Structure formats: structure tokens, C-alpha cells
Amino acid sequence: MTARVLVVDDVPANVKLLEARLSAEYFDVTTAHSGAEALAACERAECDIVLLDVMMPDMDGFEVCRRLKSNPATHHIPVVMVTALDQPSDRVAGLQAGADDFLTKPVSDIALIARVRSLTRLKMMTDELRMRAVTSREIGIESAERESIMEPGQGGRILIVDDRRSSYERLASMLEKDHVVDIEPDPSAALFRSAEGNYELMIVSLSLENFDGLRLCSQLRSLDRTRSLPILALCEPDDNAKLMRGLEIGINDYLLRPIDRNELHARVRTQVRRKRYTERLRDNVQMSIEAAITDGLTGLHNRRYMESHLGKLVEQATSRGKELAVLVLDIDYFKSINDNYGHDCGDDVLREFAIRVRKSIRGIDLACRMGGEEFVVVMPETDMAVAATVAERLRRRIAAEPFPIEQGNRMVDVTISIGIATLESQHDNATQILKRADQALYRAKRDGRNRVVADAA
């Protein structure tokens, strides 16, 4: 998808120039001539990145950036300030306002396009996570947005890769007050260390003595464990070609030597904040996946997951000529437990029942709660004789020891009925096996409960 760039400047000639440069590289360009227009366009989600002038009459770029970064709906949009201001203090002011970069006019076409491409690529990766998580607002996506706005970006775990002692000692001395800093002078060991160290930022010198710093950055991007680890590159001021190549490879940000202390701190905080925001999004996506397939009360897989996964297991068993068994379990007289002791105690029984089921089956077996007091256990590579043995052992385990309720202050006797069915032929499917196991369960209940009955097919 073509990235959408919002150019914000109150001087029409500047807007036209940037629009022409970006359009020539096939970006989709929209424009705004004031801070208010820019804020409105971002609220409508009309852009993937903002190129923002600082000196505007109604609202300067610093204030526009602060408002964008303090709004949960827009704080994830990258902002690049493009301005004639060229002092280190100006860059720091922009970065502290939340800008992702600060380009000084006149901006070279190569630098502009490389930075826009780099930041929009990161934005689209974040958008994918946000899209997956947005359906799970009830389990924390909104708090992830709020927490990211409040995140100070301090206490980061940082690995510096630099083989010049004077350089890495100076960097460490500047950062150690606010962050946990490790140093790796050996670039060959840095890749392994970064994969094992749970870092939030890598600072990599591109001027290593006997090693190509860009190769290290490329290797970091090629490994699953370090693909999302932010990289802040340190470059010599005249090494534009190496810097542009680094942005193409996937470095997140850069600093030109000599390093300004305040700019270093601002850029490090930005990368640590972004890393933590991305991790929160990933956590929320994982939580939403788990919530979709897990029964909240017992922690077992739910019916939706069972129906999907059972079909795959049956297909796999039939294609390989393997056995497969299905157990359908039902807690006897569960309604009377709810009626006599209350639904909270019924929940206690269900939770304890799930624990005992887990302890009675193998790691490859699939235990699910179908709903209410009915459960299913799917046992790959298991014939009827073994399944019956496991079912009987489980039945005895349930009946042998009363279940604690009311926080362990009372005990209640529980028994279960179990029906078993196995894969009979290559034409069998998940629905048929489950139905036969359910019919066997019905016979177990009809014959007096607290027993195991095998399908007679």
C-alpha cells in the first residue's frame, strides 16, 4: 500500500516543493496549511506520516506535535519536523515534543525519502498490531494507548556496540543515570548477546574498526528474536551513503558525531517508548487470541478451539493411519451443586475439575470445556483400550477425593460420567466421532452415572 504523507506548512511554495519530491517517489501526498488543519487530518486518520514545519502563525510545529503525541488516536503517527532551524537545542525541543526526526532545510531528496520510507514502514507494522488488537478493547487496548502517552522512556535496557573505548565510555557515562547500559566492544558477539539480553534498544556504531556495522544491523533484522529491537545508529557527519543504506536496512534512528548529550537522551527515550508501546500491543494481541480460544473460568481451551482443532487432528490421524480417541466428560448432578451451595461453589468445582483433568492426561492431549459441566478430551495416537484406561483412572481420581468449596472451608463429593469413541475409518470425521462419544456418555448417565462407557460402533 502507498504511504500517505501529510505535508504541513503555511508557505505554499514549500508545500509545492515537498509535494513534488514525494509524489515523484509514488507517495500519496495531502497538504495542510495550518496546525489546526493538520490536527484535524490526523484525527481522521488520513496519513501515515506528518512532515511538519515549525514556524507557523496560528500554532507552531512544536505545539502541533505535542498535541498529536498526547492524543491516543494520533500518538502513533510518526512526525518529522522540516524547518530552517538548525541548532542542537531546536532539534532537542522537537524531539522532546515527540517528533520522530528533525530535518533541516534545505533537505536533500535522498535524506528525505529515506527517512519517510523508514518511518512509514515502522508505522505500517504498528498499524497491523493495532488493527489486530482494536477488537479487544475490553482487555486493555485503550490502556495500552494511555500508558504509552504517559510512558517516560526511562530505565531502558540498552546495549552499546562500539569498539572505540573513548566513544563507548562517553556514551555510557551520558546514559547510565537514566538507563541500564551494557557495552559490547566485539561486534561478532553482539548478535548473540542482543538475542539473549532482552534489550529495549541497540546503539550501533557504523564506524567499527574491523567489522561492517551495517551487516550487524542487517543480521539483527533477519532474526526473529531481534527483528523488532530498535536500532540507533551512530554515524560520521560525512557518511551519508552509509546512513541512507542503514535506513533502508531498517535502523530506527541515527545520531551524527559529535554526539550531543541532550539529543542522545531525547532519541533514546523516543525509541524506548516506541518499543514498550509495540510490546504492549503485542501483549494485547496475544491476550485477545488467548481469550478467543480459552475458557475464562477453567483455563482450558473452549468449544470454538476444540471444534477447529479436532477437525485438524482427525485429518492428520486418517492421513497417517494413526489412532485417535475422544472422551466426553460430564459432572454428575452438577445442577444440584449449584442449587445446594450456590453458583460460586459450582465455579470452584469446575476449576478444580479442570486441574484434575490436566493432571490425568498427557501433554499432547487436548482438554476443552464444551460448556456448562461438559468437557472433552481428545487423545491423539490412542486406541480404545488405552483411552478406557485413562478414562477410568480419571473417573476414580474425581470420585476418590472430595472437592474443596467456599475457599476450602467445605468439601463436596463429585463424580463424573464418561463416553468414549475412537476413529473407526478413513471416512470418519470430527462430527461423527464427537457424536458417538456423546451417545456413549448418554448411556453412561442412563445406566446410573459415575461410570465409563465406550462407543459400541
Side-chain angles (χ1 to χ4, degrees):
M1 185 179 74
T2 301
R4 300 164 300 173
V5 183
L6 175 64
V7 175
V8 187
D9 198 314
D10 63 319
V11 179
N14 292 342
V15 173
K16 291 281 187 185
L17 179 60
L18 284 173
E19 187 175 14
R21 288 177 172 181
L22 293 163
S23 297
E25 297 294 328
Y26 304 103
F27 290 105
D28 183 7
V29 182
T30 58
T31 62
H33 300 281
S34 69
E37 283 184 46
L39 293 172
C42 291
E43 278 273 13
R44 295 192 297 269
E46 292 179 353
C47 62
D48 295 306
I49 187 170
V50 180
L51 299 185
L52 179 63
D53 185 35
V54 172
M55 308 303 290
M56 293 186 294
D58 65 326
M59 184 190 310
D60 69 26
F62 297 133
E63 179 62 21
V64 173
C65 188
R66 276 191 288 269
R67 294 194 186 189
L68 288 172
K69 295 300 182 178
S70 64
N71 184 344
T74 60
H75 83 100
H76 61 286
I77 301 174
V79 176
V80 177
M81 291 189 168
V82 183
T83 177
L85 300 176
D86 60 356
Q87 296 301 306
S89 58
D90 297 320
R91 285 199 301 275
V92 171
L95 294 167
Q96 289 177 339
D100 296 85
D101 206 353
F102 194 102
L103 299 179
T104 303
K105 298 176 182 176
V107 181
S108 76
D109 288 357
I110 294 175
L112 174 68
I113 300 306
R115 203 64 183 115
V116 169
R117 281 180 176 155
S118 173
L119 286 169
T120 53
R121 183 170 59 241
L122 290 171
K123 160 70 162 46
M124 289 177 181
M125 290 169 59
T126 303
D127 282 350
E128 177 67 19
L129 284 172
R130 294 181 77 248
M131 183 178 67
R132 293 181 189 177
V134 76
T135 56
S136 303
R137 293 182 185 277
E138 71 279 2
I139 59 171
I141 182 64
E142 289 182 336
S143 65
E145 304 284 355
R146 288 195 298 269
E147 288 171 11
S148 296
I149 293 170
M150 303 300 294
E151 171 62 57
Q154 294 182 329
R157 300 181 301 279
I158 301 171
L159 179 64
I160 297 174
V161 184
D162 196 336
D163 54 6
R164 285 163 44 192
R165 179 183 289 273
S166 60
S167 175
Y168 65 66
E169 286 183 348
R170 182 169 181 266
L171 286 169
S173 68
M174 287 191 282
L175 293 172
E176 282 174 339
K177 182 179 178 181
D178 296 322
H179 304 278
V180 178
V181 180
D182 291 333
I183 297 168
E184 181 50 73
D186 181 4
S188 300
L191 188 64
F192 175 79
R193 190 167 178 181
S194 64
E196 299 297 324
N198 195 29
Y199 291 105
E200 294 177 294
L201 176 64
M202 287 269 287
I203 299 179
V204 179
S205 171
L206 299 187
S207 308
L208 299 170
E209 184 71 24
N210 297 308
F211 198 92
D212 186 351
L214 287 179
R215 182 171 296 279
L216 174 59
C217 295
S218 176
Q219 291 171 335
L220 288 166
R221 286 292 168 260
S222 69
L223 295 178
D224 286 341
R225 297 187 68 174
T226 57
R227 185 164 292 140
S228 62
L229 176 62
I231 301 172
L232 175 62
L234 306 179
C235 312
E236 300 302 327
D238 58 350
D239 208 348
N240 286 330
K242 187 174 285 188
L243 174 58
M244 296 305 108
R245 184 69 179 128
L247 290 168
E248 291 175 6
I249 287 171
I251 67 170
N252 300 75
D253 203 356
Y254 61 90
L255 273 168
L256 300 179
R257 298 181 189 272
I259 305 300
D260 177 81
R261 175 189 294 269
N262 292 326
E263 186 174 355
L264 171 66
H265 275 283
R267 292 190 186 274
V268 166
R269 283 196 298 269
T270 295
Q271 294 306 318
V272 171
R273 279 197 299 263
R274 181 178 290 144
K275 170 68 170 172
R276 290 173 179 173
Y277 172 56
T278 303
E279 286 178 346
R280 289 188 187 107
L281 284 177
R282 286 200 175 96
D283 288 345
N284 280 343
V285 169
Q286 185 60 36
M287 287 170 62
S288 69
I289 292 171
E290 291 176 0
I293 65 174
T294 304
D295 174 60
L297 179 64
T298 64
L300 299 179
H301 289 298
N302 60 17
R303 180 170 190 152
R304 177 191 300 176
Y305 182 83
M306 188 280 298
E307 290 175 343
S308 171
H309 199 58
L310 176 58
K312 295 187 178 91
L313 290 174
V314 170
E315 289 177 10
Q316 187 179 81
T318 54
S319 66
R320 298 178 181 178
K322 300 289 188 179
E323 303 277 0
L324 182 137
V326 174
L327 282 58
V328 179
L329 303 75
D330 189 89
I331 299 176
D332 297 330
Y333 304 110
F334 184 73
K335 184 177 182 300
S336 67
I337 295 175
N338 281 332
D339 291 344
N340 293 330
Y341 301 101
H343 287 277
D344 288 344
C345 293
D347 289 348
D348 290 340
V349 168
L350 291 171
R351 280 189 287 264
E352 175 65 19
F353 180 75
I355 292 171
R356 297 192 193 186
V357 168
R358 281 200 196 94
K359 290 180 178 178
S360 300
I361 62 177
R362 304 166 299 179
I364 64 169
D365 298 331
L366 173 67
C368 307
R369 184 185 178 198
M370 286 286 282
E373 67 273 25
E374 188 171 88
F375 296 76
V376 169
V377 175
V378 183
M379 306 181 70
E381 300 186 22
T382 305
D383 61 18
M384 180 62 79
V386 173
T389 300
V390 172
E392 181 60 27
R393 183 177 65 215
L394 177 57
R395 184 196 66 79
R396 290 178 180 174
R397 185 169 198 162
I398 297 299
E401 186 178 346
F403 280 48
I405 57 174
E406 297 178 358
Q407 298 181 334
N409 293 319
R410 300 183 67 178
M411 307 294 285
V412 60
D413 290 324
V414 175
T415 63
I416 60 169
S417 300
I418 303 176
I420 311 173
T422 57
L423 188 63
E424 296 295 335
S425 72
Q426 289 189 335
H427 303 294
D428 242 347
N429 60 42
T431 301
Q432 292 168 337
I433 299 172
L434 198 58
K435 183 177 180 180
R436 292 202 306 271
D438 200 52
Q439 290 171 341
L441 170 65
Y442 175 77
R443 291 197 296 274
K445 294 167 70 174
R446 182 192 62 193
D447 294 343
R449 293 182 168 84
N450 191 21
R451 65 192 63 223
V452 175
V453 172
D455 170 48

